[in-house]
Amino acid sequence: QVQLVESGGGLVPPGGSLTLTCVASGFTSAYYSMGWFRQAPGKGREGVACISAGDDAEYYSDSVKGRFTISRDDADHTIWLKMNYLKPEDTALYSCATGVFCPQDLSTMILVFGAVGQGTEVTVSS
């Protein structure tokens, strides 16, 4: 069955960097768009980054644009989220997900993405 396993979360000071990793199994990830959601305590799930299948086009929410970078290696079924200049408001549970396509507006990503992993916690605090 589809499995998405995230790792790499942790505690980081404001302004720091962190790279999250997601390993996909149970399906051919190269055929699908892949993305990252986050959910802060008491808030809904938010799409923050998406990378298309084939052309590897990247899409970002306004809240992370210029600071986060999504990438993929289809040979290793792996997706990364490189996070720079982290802010306390980036604190959340980050989950990897797969979908048919990346929407232009990532606020609608939750409508077109299906399988979501268990997530990895990121805490930005001094």
Side-chain angles (χ1 to χ4, degrees):
Q1 76 261 22
V2 172
Q3 275 199 310
L4 299 164
V5 180
E6 304 91 339
S7 62
L11 174 65
V12 61
S17 298
L18 211 56
T19 297
L20 306 183
T21 301
C22 171
V23 178
S25 63
F27 68 107
T28 307
S29 58
Y31 296 160
Y32 293 89
S33 294
M34 301 297 298
W36 289 90
F37 287 100
R38 71 183 181 186
Q39 187 164 16
K43 295 191 176 181
R45 185 173 282 169
E46 172 192 14
V48 296
C50 189
I51 186 165
S52 297
D55 64 358
D56 289 353
E58 300 169 28
Y59 303 83
Y60 300 94
S61 66
D62 288 342
S63 59
V64 308
K65 198 173 296 181
R67 300 187 298 121
F68 290 12
T69 303
I70 188 171
S71 59
R72 65 191 296 166
D73 183 335
D74 291 330
D76 285 339
H77 311 288
T78 302
I79 304 91
W80 295 274
L81 186 67
K82 171 69 172 173
M83 306 184 295
N84 294 321
Y85 307 108
L86 283 161
K87 306 174 182 179
E89 51 263 43
D90 294 319
T91 295
L93 177 71
Y94 284 74
S95 303
C96 172
T98 180
V100 177
F101 67 95
C102 289
Q104 291 282 343
D105 179 359
L106 292 196
S107 68
T108 64
M109 199 166 110
I110 197 169
L111 301 176
V112 299
F113 268 53
V116 181
Q118 293 294 308
T120 184
E121 290 277 1
V122 172
T123 302
V124 184
S125 174
S126 54

